[in-house]
Amino acid sequence: QLELVESGGGSVQAGGTLTLSCAPSGYSYNKLCMGWFRQSPGKERELVAGILSDGRRRVAESVKDRFTVSPGSTENTLILQMTNLKPEDSAIYICAAEVTRCGFTPADFGHWGQGTQVNVSS
């Protein structure tokens, strides 16, 4: 069973920086497609950034000048560095992974983490 372990959420003031990390537990086979999504109350889950197993990357337009997604030093680890955070970035950030038939929408991912809360105060 593929489980995802997330870390790095928290509370910061506007303009601050946070780095989120996601790594699979109980999986050591093929390279995964991985992504960070976020969800706020009353809003749909949206892609923040992701990297597919073929190397394709996507970062949401709303954050592309402030957030960077990269592989971690360990296989299948995904790092999301968030800079110049804004109050509207406040959400639960959720890591997702998929083994095959990858894409960048929530429907393309079959494995989800528990989520980590990010709060940005003005």
Side-chain angles (χ1 to χ4, degrees):
Q1 179 71 19
L2 172 58
E3 295 184 356
L4 298 171
V5 180
E6 302 142 322
S7 62
S11 297
V12 296
Q13 291 188 329
T17 297
L18 285 173
T19 300
L20 305 183
S21 178
C22 175
S25 175
Y27 182 86
S28 59
Y29 303 106
N30 298 329
K31 189 170 181 61
L32 294 170
C33 301
M34 300 186 72
W36 280 103
F37 291 77
R38 66 185 182 186
Q39 189 162 20
S40 302
K43 293 187 177 181
E44 293 186 356
R45 187 170 295 186
E46 62 175 356
L47 175 74
V48 179
I51 302 179
L52 304 187
S53 56
D54 62 4
R56 284 180 289 158
R57 301 188 185 198
R58 182 172 294 180
V59 181
E61 286 292 317
S62 60
V63 304
K64 67 177 183 177
D65 295 329
R66 302 181 291 119
F67 292 10
T68 302
V69 65
S70 60
S73 58
T74 305
E75 182 73 11
N76 287 325
T77 299
L78 191 68
I79 307 297
L80 181 67
Q81 184 172 24
M82 306 184 292
T83 65
N84 192 21
L85 282 159
K86 302 177 179 180
E88 53 263 41
D89 295 318
S90 297
I92 296 176
Y93 284 69
I94 311 163
C95 180
E98 184 52 63
V99 179
T100 61
R101 295 190 298 274
C102 298
F104 289 110
T105 72
D108 293 315
F109 290 87
H111 303 275
W112 295 86
Q114 294 296 311
T116 184
Q117 183 71 47
V118 171
N119 291 318
V120 185
S121 58
S122 58

